[in-house]
């Protein structure tokens, strides 16, 4: 007699799979990645290639080592490598990229039991490890080698350069918009530049032309944080594919923008909303990092709380911390709170709410 | 007006086109029938015939074995060939009366005249062996016997048929809508309900139109157009969609003054009260890409799956999985000697390509199961807890509220078998509760 398959219900399934999810996220990153290559040239391409290759190799090695399922081609290790490279400046030494990718996969994921069990975003673990080990390399920005150098950094840097000691000029002239802003504030605090000069810098940075450059990506920065537009495009694709929900990106971006407007300027409500969200890694973080399925909260309310607190952290780090940018740490710190957020945001099942009138 | 619905749920491809256009065909009963004594939830019926007894279509062969139980009748005239233990859809063997059909089609129906009074409706329904024909097979007379402190004001006829592939209710409502309305009237009379609704999913607009016409001059009945969404036909979801009443957790529809009955059940009750015909046959959709000529048939209970599938042109070469019921909540079977019963709304045969053969993958915490769960549960958690045998913890995560609709597994990118774990956890918890109650 013919043998039939047996299983518990249901017997039909959506066409979704982990592989599809992961490759779709990679696909969503593609426009921003291509833009980085156009903008920074071979350096960017090599960075991505090395980080991805190293991440996939690390995946294989650690899976063997820990006897986990080997999942080279499901796109998850690829994504970790790509994301990590996109948080780093172009022209990172290859060896650092390899070390970062191995650390991301090994200590960011494999030690916890592999995909699905990691509490922290592996790509950000990789970046954080590199930032701790070779801080200079992680914040050394090269000017884009292709395309016109944007007006903003040059303009802002020019303002700074005319007022500060010569030895500092090197770093400042190659700074990102966010870096320039941070430096201007700290130089002002140190008394090197006065209020009028600070105003000149912030004014240049948050001018219409500057904001447009930031939005389109005509700026310097890490590979994946230069074009807010292309990241937004990728994010919308993920929303359309229902891989992420709106809660985290919307709340995160709004929180950063609003708080920067209130606290990010010289006085209260003096900061630039648009500058704060288009500069740095906010869009990359909002759509691709904070939304990482494994390391973000499960419930909608929890997602909003998580994104809000992460947004607060970004502004605190940018304004009062030692780094110009706080996206990476804001997300890593909030990752640690996910279990407790989940615990307190689990909704009541249907039937436990107060009875609707008969 | 917007379509009525519940929150969350899924939109699987409905696949109803396979059998939708096929008129219900009455099939001549097979030579041999295997009528199980347990075709309903609750205690099995007590067999009241012996080998060699002569029976007619409608003869009582099993008498209810408890309060939650019901009668079983012979679907054909003939001779009891044997009383055996025979496999059923649940994998266990059940006492089964094997009847040899003599082909004479002699009838021994109940007397319909005796059952028309209000107080005799419920006993009449028990006498006729009527159960919920949507698949749950809960004895209908029990549903219509609410305690005095729970008055019923509304009856809902479930014509959602939200399971993909199935078209038996659709055809029945299309071809004999007046029977469904008559059945609803009897239900309303039985519990003195003031209002009756017929819930129809928007993919059956023609049926909705027919009922609208039939009911246009009545103010005690109404047809509700529901969004096509799974599990729209789940009792609690249906009640919420139509009345916006929330059945309390662990409670029953009667707690909010409602009784829900399947459209097939309504038609069966009408036949019982107009012709005296007990429930011994039903409309079954035999469908799927694994059968050659999908269609809708009236089969006697006790007809084997083998027989049923033959009527639909037989299996295709690549037929690989046979499911009793729909693809979301039905049961897979590996033995085609298993018989059609009162709850068999469909027989679905999937092909080799349509069967999921991959192993399930890790949970990536995407939260899709949570986004679709119509009971607002956290399905992903039940695998984690089940693997560690943390049943009390599963109970705290409200596993007992799960309606096993399967939306979570359907939508899961990793195809994790949540329902399998949930069923096991529920069984353990029920066993534990029973032990504690016995103490």
């Amino acid at each position: 007699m013919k043998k039939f398959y047996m299983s518990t219900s249901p017997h039909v399934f959506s066409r979704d799979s982990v592989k599809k999810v992961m490759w779709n996220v990679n696909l969503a990153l593609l426009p921003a990645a291509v833009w980085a290559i156009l903008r920074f040239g071979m350096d960017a391409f090599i960075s991505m290639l090395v980080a991805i290759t190293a991440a996939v190799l690390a995946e294989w090695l650690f899976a063997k080592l820990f006897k986990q399922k080997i999942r080279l081609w499901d796109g998850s290790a690829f994504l970790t490598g790509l994301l990590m490279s996109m948080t780093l400046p172009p022209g990172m030494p290859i060896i650092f990229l390899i070390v970062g990718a191995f650390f991301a996969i090994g200590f960011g994921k494999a030690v916890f039991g592999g995909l699905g069990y990691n509490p922290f975003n592996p790509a950000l673990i990789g970046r954080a490890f590199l930032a701790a080990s070779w801080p200079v390399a992680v914040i050394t920005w090269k000017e884009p080698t292709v395309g016109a150098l944007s007006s903003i950094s040059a303009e802002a840097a020019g303002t700074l350069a005319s007022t500060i000691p010569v030895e500092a000029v090197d770093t400042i002239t190659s700074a990102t918009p966010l870096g320039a802003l941070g430096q201007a504030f700290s130089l002002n605090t140190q008394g090197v530049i006065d209020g009028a000069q600070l105003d000149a810098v912030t004014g240049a940075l948050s001018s219409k032309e500057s904001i447009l450059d930031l939005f389109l990506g005509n700026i310097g920065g890490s590979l994946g944080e230069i074009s807010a537009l292309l990241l937004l495009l990728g994010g919308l694709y993920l929303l359309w594919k229902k891989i992420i929900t709106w809660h985290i990106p919307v709340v995160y971006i709004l929180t950063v923008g609003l708080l920067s407007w209130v606290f990010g300027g010289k006085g209260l409500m003096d900061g630039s909303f648009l500058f704060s969200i288009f500069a740095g890694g906010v869009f990359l973080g909002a759509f691709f990092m904070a939304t990482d399925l494994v390391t973000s909260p499960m419930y909608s309310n929890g997602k909003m709380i998580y994104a809000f607190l992460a947004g607060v952290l970004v502004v605190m780090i940018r304004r009062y911390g030692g780094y110009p940018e706080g996206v990476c740490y804001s997300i890593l710190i909030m990752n640690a709170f996910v279990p407790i957020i989940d615990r307190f945001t689990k909704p009541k099942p249907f039937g436990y709410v107060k009875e609707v009138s008969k | 007006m917007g379509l009525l619905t519940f929150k969350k749920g899924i939109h699987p491809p409905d696949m109803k086109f396979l059998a939708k256009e096929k008129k219900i065909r009455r099939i001549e009963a097979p030579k041999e029938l295997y009528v199980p004594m347990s075709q309903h939830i609750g205690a099995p019926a007590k067999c009241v015939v012996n080998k060699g007894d002569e029976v007619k279509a409608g003869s009582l062969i099993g008498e209810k074995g408890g309060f939650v139980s019901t009668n079983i009748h012979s679907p054909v005239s003939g001779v009891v060939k044997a009383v055996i233990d025979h496999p059923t859809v649940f994998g266990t063997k059940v006492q089964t009366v094997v009847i040899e059909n003599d082909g004479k089609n002699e009838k021994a129906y109940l007397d319909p005249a005796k059952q028309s009074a209000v107080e005799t409706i419920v006993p009449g329904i028990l006498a006729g062996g009527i159960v919920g024909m949507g698949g749950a097979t809960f004895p209908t007379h029990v549903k219509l016997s609410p305690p005095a402190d729970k008055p019923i004001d509304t009856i809902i006829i479930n014509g959602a048929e939200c399971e993909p592939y199935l078209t038996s209710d659709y055809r029945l409502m299309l071809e004999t809508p007046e029977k469904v309305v008559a059945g609803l009237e009897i239900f309303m009379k039985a519990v003195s309900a003031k209002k009756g609704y017929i819930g129809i999913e928007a993919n059956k607009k023609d049926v909705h139109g027919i009922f609208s016409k039939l009911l246009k001059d009545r103010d005690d009945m109404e047809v509700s157009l529901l969004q096509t969404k799974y599990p729209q036909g789940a009792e609690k979801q249906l009640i919420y969609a139509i009345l916006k009443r929330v059945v309390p957790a662990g409670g029953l529809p009667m707690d909010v003054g409602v009784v829900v009955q399947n459209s097939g059940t309504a038609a069966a009750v009408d036949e019982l009260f107009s012709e005296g015909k007990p429930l011994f046959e039903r409309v079954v959709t035999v469908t799927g890409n694994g059968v050659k000529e999908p269609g809708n048939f009236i089969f006697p209970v006790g007809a084997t799956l083998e027989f049923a599938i033959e009527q639909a042109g037989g299996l295709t070469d690549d037929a690989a999985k046979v499911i009793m019921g729909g693809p979301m909540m039905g049961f897979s079977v590996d033995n085609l000697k298993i018989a059609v019963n009162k709850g068999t709304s469909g027989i679905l045969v999937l092909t080799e390509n349509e069967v999921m053969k991959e192993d399930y993958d890790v949970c990536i915490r995407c939260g899709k199961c949570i986004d679709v769960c119509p009971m607002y549960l956290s399905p992903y958690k039940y695998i984690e807890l089940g693997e560690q045998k943390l049943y009390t913890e599963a109970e705290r995560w409200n596993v007992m509220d799960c309606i096993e609709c399967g939306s979570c597994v359907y939508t899961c990118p990793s195809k994790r078998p949540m329902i399998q774990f949930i069923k096991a956890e529920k069984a353990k918890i029920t066993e534990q509760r029973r032990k504690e109650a016995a103490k």
Side-chain angles (χ1 to χ4, degrees):
Chain A
M1 204 178 109
K2 197 174 166 119
K3 273 301 258 182
F4 294 109
Y5 289 95
M6 297 283 283
S7 78
T8 316
S9 59
H11 308 283
V12 289
F13 302 89
S14 67
R15 292 170 177 278
D16 215 354
S17 70
V18 173
K19 209 169 164 172
K20 263 195 190 162
V21 170
M22 295 297 170
W23 284 114
N24 262 318
V25 181
N26 283 313
L27 185 66
L29 276 169
L30 192 67
V34 169
W35 179 243
I37 294 168
L38 290 176
R39 193 97 181 111
F40 300 117
M42 277 311 275
D43 275 352
F45 180 70
I46 290 169
S47 272
M48 291 177 196
L49 189 71
V50 169
I52 290 167
T53 313
V56 173
L57 279 177
E59 177 74 28
W60 178 81
L61 184 81
F62 285 105
K64 278 262 174 222
L65 203 64
F66 292 118
K67 299 195 169 54
Q68 290 162 358
K69 184 182 166 189
I70 296 178
R71 37 191 332 131
L72 289 192
W73 308 118
D74 71 356
S76 64
F78 188 102
L79 179 62
T80 302
L82 178 60
L83 268 179
M84 188 192 76
S85 71
M86 290 181 85
T87 65
L88 296 167
M92 273 286 277
I94 284 176
I95 183 71
F96 293 172
L97 288 165
I98 295 173
V99 171
F102 268 75
F103 196 85
I105 297 286
F107 291 85
K109 194 167 81 174
V111 290
F112 296 106
L115 181 68
Y117 298 98
N118 49 302
F120 299 102
N121 185 319
L124 289 177
I125 288 283
R127 186 203 137 89
F129 178 72
L130 291 178
S133 312
W134 296 285
V136 179
V138 172
I139 52 163
T140 300
W141 313 94
K142 274 176 79 169
E143 286 162 3
T145 53
V146 185
L149 181 65
S150 87
S151 54
I152 51 155
S153 272
E155 208 179 299
T159 314
L160 282 175
S162 63
T163 54
I164 56 169
V166 180
E167 56 269 27
V169 171
D170 274 353
T171 24
I172 290 158
T173 47
S174 57
T176 59
L178 213 49
L181 184 73
Q183 274 173 317
F185 270 110
S186 69
L187 289 172
N188 178 244
T189 321
Q190 290 160 27
V192 180
I193 59 174
D194 60 23
Q197 288 165 321
L198 176 62
D199 285 344
V201 177
T202 55
L205 287 172
S206 51
S207 67
K208 230 185 248 162
E209 300 75 33
S210 158
I211 298 290
L212 192 66
D213 279 336
L214 281 165
F215 183 63
L216 297 177
N218 292 319
I219 50 164
S222 295
L223 298 184
E225 46 181 57
I226 49 177
S227 173
L229 173 67
L230 295 177
L231 291 166
L232 179 66
L233 211 67
L236 290 177
Y237 176 75
L238 292 183
L239 282 168
W240 176 59
K241 283 275 167 188
K242 298 209 168 91
I243 290 170
I244 61 172
T245 60
W246 61 268
H247 306 86
I248 292 176
V250 169
V251 174
Y252 189 68
I253 292 170
L254 282 184
T255 306
V256 171
L258 285 173
L259 288 180
S260 299
W261 171 63
V262 176
F263 299 109
K266 239 167 61 172
L268 275 187
M269 297 189 234
D270 195 23
S272 168
F273 183 99
L274 290 178
F275 177 83
S276 72
I277 62 169
F278 292 156
V282 175
F283 273 54
L284 184 65
F287 289 108
F288 296 94
M289 307 276 205
T291 52
D292 172 35
L293 301 172
V294 178
T295 59
S296 62
M298 295 292 255
Y299 309 102
S300 310
N301 288 346
K303 285 178 185 172
M304 291 194 277
I305 294 170
Y306 160 93
F308 170 74
L309 293 175
V312 171
L313 286 172
V314 172
V315 178
M316 281 173 62
I317 293 170
R318 278 185 180 179
R319 190 69 178 83
Y320 310 107
Y323 297 96
E325 178 56 307
V327 168
C328 169
Y329 293 107
S330 78
I331 294 168
L332 283 176
I333 290 168
M334 286 317 297
N335 283 166
F337 288 94
V338 166
I340 201 155
I341 292 174
D342 275 350
R343 196 176 156 166
F344 288 105
T345 51
K346 182 157 75 79
K348 283 226 174 299
F350 184 81
Y352 286 84
V353 284
K354 218 177 132 232
E355 200 176 314
V356 179
S357 64
K358 255 191 191 181
Chain B
M1 196 187 84
L3 300 175
L4 300 169
T5 194
F6 59 99
K7 288 176 192 149
K8 307 194 177 195
I10 57 170
H11 297 276
D14 84 353
M15 302 302 285
K16 293 190 194 276
F17 66 89
L18 286 170
K20 203 175 165 167
E21 307 299 332
K22 306 289 173 62
K23 269 194 154 169
I24 296 173
R25 266 169 59 204
R26 179 169 284 281
I27 295 299
E28 203 171 311
K31 278 261 117 349
E32 208 172 59
L33 294 107
Y34 294 80
V35 186
M37 287 296 107
S38 185
Q39 300 185 39
H40 46 262
I41 284 184
K46 282 188 297 241
C47 177
V48 293
V49 288
N50 294 305
K51 188 179 166 181
D53 284 0
E54 279 193 18
V55 291
K56 292 178 178 168
S59 301
L60 186 74
I61 57 173
E63 203 167 47
K64 73 158 185 166
F67 177 61
V68 183
S69 180
T70 196
N71 295 339
I72 311 271
H73 304 83
S74 171
V76 293
S77 60
V79 181
V80 175
K81 209 172 152 193
V83 178
I84 59 169
D85 284 335
H86 192 71
T88 64
V89 62
F90 301 109
T92 51
K93 287 192 171 181
V94 159
Q95 191 182 39
T96 298
V97 175
V98 186
I99 299 170
E100 199 170 69
N101 181 4
D102 63 11
K104 288 181 200 154
N105 230 340
E106 288 175 299
K107 291 176 186 169
Y109 284 7
L110 299 164
D111 180 0
K114 272 191 196 161
Q115 293 160 352
S116 49
V118 177
E119 57 282 4
T120 51
I121 291 178
V122 174
I125 283 173
L126 165 62
I130 308 277
V131 301
M133 290 166 76
T137 65
F138 195 79
T140 302
H141 67 278
V142 181
K143 269 191 173 179
L144 294 174
S145 313
D149 61 333
K150 294 196 170 145
I152 304 297
D153 59 18
T154 308
I155 304 278
I156 296 177
I157 296 296
N158 188 352
E161 198 165 53
C162 59
E163 275 270 10
Y165 288 95
L166 302 189
T167 53
S168 52
D169 286 350
Y170 167 72
R171 288 309 308 189
L172 179 131
M173 292 187 292
L174 193 71
E175 295 178 29
T176 54
E178 67 290 342
K179 286 190 183 177
V180 177
V181 174
L184 172 56
E185 198 153 357
I186 296 168
F187 290 136
M188 288 168 66
K189 205 163 132 191
V191 294
S192 5
K194 305 233 163 12
K195 187 87 188 178
Y197 290 90
I198 303 174
I200 306 290
E201 269 193 354
N203 60 357
K204 295 179 268 291
K205 282 240 168 71
D206 44 354
V207 170
H208 179 265
I210 288 171
F211 280 124
S212 302
K213 240 182 240 160
L214 274 179
L215 302 180
K216 75 170 184 294
D217 296 325
R218 306 187 65 136
D219 47 12
D220 59 337
M221 289 185 195
E222 204 176 298
V223 54
S224 305
L225 196 60
L226 310 163
Q227 192 187 325
T228 306
K229 188 167 81 172
Y230 182 86
Q232 185 64 76
E235 253 182 7
K236 292 178 178 182
Q237 280 61 34
L238 185 67
I239 294 169
Y240 181 81
I242 295 180
L243 301 171
K244 294 288 172 286
R245 293 183 195 171
V246 177
V247 177
L252 292 169
M254 65 169 71
D255 294 326
V256 291
V258 183
V259 166
V260 179
Q261 298 286 2
N262 171 262
S263 51
T265 317
V269 164
D270 172 56
E271 287 180 0
L272 171 67
F273 284 74
S274 58
E275 306 164 35
K277 182 178 151 200
L279 178 54
F280 58 70
E281 61 180 23
R282 65 159 297 144
V283 184
V284 180
T285 306
V286 186
T287 185
N289 291 318
V291 292
K292 288 181 186 144
E293 295 156 28
N296 304 290
F297 309 89
I298 293 180
F299 289 135
V301 300
T304 60
L305 294 184
E306 203 169 26
F307 173 83
I309 289 167
E310 259 168 47
Q311 310 312 309
L315 294 172
T316 59
D317 291 338
D318 56 351
K321 195 177 196 180
V322 180
I323 295 148
M324 276 182 95
M328 293 302 298
M329 290 187 74
F331 294 84
S332 61
V333 293
D334 60 354
N335 184 344
L336 298 187
K337 292 279 177 215
I338 290 173
V340 167
N341 64 50
K342 294 175 183 177
T344 310
S345 45
I347 297 163
L348 168 63
V349 185
L350 298 178
T351 61
E352 199 69 37
N353 293 333
E354 295 169 321
V355 176
M356 172 63 57
K357 281 170 255 174
E358 283 163 52
D359 246 359
Y360 63 91
D361 208 339
V362 294
C363 173
I364 54 168
R365 292 176 42 89
C366 66
K368 285 201 170 157
C369 54
I370 295 168
D371 294 341
V372 300
C373 178
M375 296 304 289
Y376 316 165
L377 303 173
S378 304
Y380 80 99
K381 195 75 186 174
Y382 300 123
I383 293 193
E384 200 180 305
L385 297 174
E387 278 171 345
Q388 300 173 61
K389 300 191 167 40
L390 296 172
Y391 302 118
T392 319
E393 190 65 10
E395 199 176 353
R396 265 209 286 278
W397 280 76
N398 305 99
V399 70
M400 298 311 275
D401 292 312
C402 172
I403 57 170
E404 301 175 22
C405 69
S407 298
C408 49
V409 185
Y410 174 86
T411 201
C412 178
S414 294
K415 311 294 164 236
R416 291 172 68 76
M418 267 81 72
I419 298 298
Q420 189 184 317
F421 279 83
I422 287 168
K423 284 186 177 186
E425 283 158 25
K426 279 176 148 184
K428 285 277 178 199
I429 293 164
T430 311
E431 191 191 316
Q432 190 63 33
R433 283 182 183 175
R434 204 175 292 144
K435 267 188 208 157
E436 264 155 37
K439 261 183 219 163

